[in-house]
Amino acid sequence: MSRPREQVIPASDDNARMNAKHRRLLQTLSVVALLAYTALLAYPTLSRGAVDDEASPSGKVQRIRSLHEDPTVTSESSSATATLRPPTTVLDDVFISVKTTKSYHNHRLPIILKTWFQLAKAQTWFFTDTDDPEFQLKTNGHMINTNCSSSHSRKALCCKMSVEFDTFMDTDKKWFCHFDDDNYVNVPRLVRFLGDYNPREDWYLGKPSIQAPLEIINKEKKPTQKVKFWFATGGAGFCLSRALALKMMPVASGGKFIGTGEKIRLPDDVTMGYIIEHLLKKPLTVVDQFHSHLEPMKFIRREILEDQISFSYARNKDEWNVVKIEGFDTKYDTNRFLSLHCFLFPHFNFCPR
Ligand code: UDP
Ligand code: MN
């Protein structure tokens, strides 16, 4: 007697149930195995990313530095791996302006041209108050005659700053960095430092030379009004992001910087602080690595020299305020810039081997 298929022994029902169970188990196991395999493949990438980008405090600096050393690596290629960071900054993103005057060309410019200018020849421009064919040649045409008066008057200084600002605005650079002609600029450090900030945000980076914000009386307002603001001392150098510079245009571009300076009757760097901190309400970010000769240079420890962005020098009576660094004889290298340069960049051909 043939039995209907449905009745085929219960054992085979059991078998079918077991088969289905096995299949599910096998499926689960293979999914688990697949997941484990994928995780193993991804692990080295994830772990390297973590070390480079977060876990190692120096990872970021090293990565930016190595990008600078390789001209073929662009900001675009790096942004593909670092999505949360501002686009990488390269030297060519920076406009470096140096304020000078005709009577200083001969004794202040040669040391700059011999040292740090060599590391940023295409990015550095000298703003002066005369035509000087000799230095025009020595700087590869990077002397700009502002036609401002060659005096140390407030108006003359604001006039130069105004031309510096307008010249920057005419470029497509992301950063404007101003220095005096008695500054030494640690170029690669400046570039690495700017790499930590986004030029599309508002940044006013520099160092004040006073302990409290400057307080002035605004006589234009009745009753007269007290105005308090910080400013970055020009003699230490400071930088502005392009985003901030664009917002400054209504009060600073096309010569308007001079008018603003005249109104408050204060020097160029103070006028800069007034415009940014008071008019635009954007705060100064204090950067300790900028140094003017208003602070004693000898207190900058040798171990941290490499980390500093700018240095300066001055002669107060018979005493020199200079960086304390061994190297060339003080008779030959009075302001210590040659020795400092060789300490930072020993491969230069004039440095002792
Ligand atoms: N400067 C100028 N015109 C002058 C005197 C100075 O443009 O008549 C510039 C000078 O080249 C330097 C800055 O202003 O970049 C500061 O000058 P200095 O170091 O002589 O004076 P400080 O203000 O530092 O005492
Ligand atoms: Mn000075």
Side-chain angles (χ1 to χ4, degrees):
M1 213 175 103
S2 68
R3 277 173 294 201
R5 264 195 180 263
E6 302 81 72
Q7 289 176 356
V8 180
I9 35 181
S12 104
D13 258 345
D14 272 345
N15 268 352
R17 259 202 303 278
M18 284 301 284
N19 278 343
K21 236 186 201 165
H22 274 138
R23 254 202 318 276
R24 269 202 304 278
L25 192 70
L26 274 173
Q27 272 167 1
T28 316
L29 277 175
S30 46
V31 168
V32 168
L34 195 71
L35 280 175
Y37 184 59
T38 317
L40 270 177
L41 276 185
Y43 178 72
T45 331
L46 290 174
S47 63
R48 224 181 304 123
V51 169
D52 268 352
D53 298 338
E54 285 134 30
S56 151
S58 60
K60 186 176 197 170
V61 170
Q62 280 162 1
R63 216 170 61 83
I64 292 170
R65 190 180 287 155
S66 65
L67 285 174
H68 289 156
E69 279 158 7
D70 182 0
T72 59
V73 182
T74 63
S75 48
E76 283 71 30
S77 58
S78 71
S79 62
T81 53
T83 43
L84 293 175
R85 196 173 300 147
T88 304
T89 303
V90 293
L91 175 59
D92 221 26
D93 293 330
V94 191
F95 180 87
I96 302 177
S97 77
V98 179
K99 177 171 69 178
T100 187
T101 185
K102 78 176 170 203
S103 62
Y104 286 174
H105 291 185
N106 279 321
H107 62 276
R108 289 196 177 183
L109 298 194
I111 183 84
I112 294 181
L113 298 187
K114 192 174 169 138
T115 58
W116 67 264
F117 175 73
Q118 294 303 318
L119 299 169
K121 279 185 184 174
Q123 297 75 19
T124 306
W125 298 84
F126 297 90
F127 291 80
T128 189
D129 36 42
T130 187
D131 286 328
D132 186 333
E134 182 195 337
F135 279 92
Q136 196 60 273
L137 204 67
K138 289 180 173 164
T139 60
N140 313 314
H142 278 221
M143 299 291 286
I144 293 178
N145 182 357
T146 57
N147 289 310
C148 299
S149 136
S150 59
S151 74
H152 206 174
S153 69
R154 182 186 68 243
K155 199 165 179 187
L157 297 181
C158 281
C159 174
K160 256 175 218 167
M161 184 62 79
S162 178
V163 181
E164 289 176 48
F165 183 82
D166 285 342
T167 311
F168 162 70
M169 291 314 291
D170 283 344
T171 68
D172 56 1
K173 308 279 176 181
K174 295 174 181 168
W175 292 98
F176 168 68
C177 295
H178 160 97
F179 295 95
D180 277 0
D181 58 7
D182 51 5
N183 280 138
Y184 178 95
V185 182
N186 186 354
V187 175
R189 179 69 189 100
L190 171 69
V191 177
R192 256 188 292 136
F193 161 74
L194 292 174
D196 287 344
Y197 298 86
N198 187 344
R200 294 197 192 109
E201 294 168 2
D202 302 324
W203 290 109
Y204 174 30
L205 308 164
K207 191 194 219 172
S209 52
I210 47 178
Q211 299 303 312
L214 187 73
E215 212 175 296
I216 62 166
I217 307 281
N218 188 351
K219 287 183 182 153
E220 288 199 339
K221 286 260 164 73
K222 298 280 181 242
T224 50
Q225 184 193 51
K226 266 191 195 167
V227 173
K228 262 191 192 181
F229 60 91
W230 288 101
F231 68 94
T233 218
F238 60 82
C239 298
L240 310 178
S241 63
R242 181 149 212 108
L244 178 60
L246 282 166
K247 294 199 176 91
M248 293 168 64
M249 285 185 80
V251 276
S253 73
K256 288 195 281 292
F257 189 91
I258 309 173
T260 307
E262 277 302 288
K263 211 163 78 183
I264 57 165
R265 313 189 75 77
L266 287 166
D268 51 350
D269 50 358
V270 185
T271 303
M272 194 58 90
Y274 175 81
I275 292 175
I276 302 168
E277 280 232 329
H278 175 65
L279 298 181
L280 297 178
K281 305 283 180 249
K282 307 286 179 189
L284 167 71
T285 299
V286 177
V287 183
D288 281 327
Q289 290 99 326
F290 285 99
H291 300 281
S292 83
H293 56 67
L294 294 172
E295 48 177 301
M297 287 296 125
K298 63 179 178 199
F299 291 143
I300 308 173
R301 295 192 329 276
R302 195 178 184 279
E303 309 87 83
I304 61 162
L305 284 175
E306 271 176 291
D307 204 36
Q308 309 310 303
I309 298 164
S310 67
F311 303 87
S312 191
Y313 65 90
R315 186 183 177 165
N316 308 319
K317 296 197 182 115
D318 276 340
E319 218 185 305
W320 281 88
N321 177 13
V322 292
V323 174
K324 197 174 156 195
I325 182 81
E326 74 282 0
F328 297 104
D329 194 289
T330 49
K331 277 200 197 84
Y332 172 63
D333 182 27
T334 322
N335 66 21
R336 309 313 287 154
F337 279 6
L338 279 182
S339 303
L340 175 65
H341 187 76
C342 285
F343 175 77
L344 298 173
F345 308 102
H347 63 275
F348 267 61
N349 61 10
F350 62 80
C351 297
R353 255 137 251 275

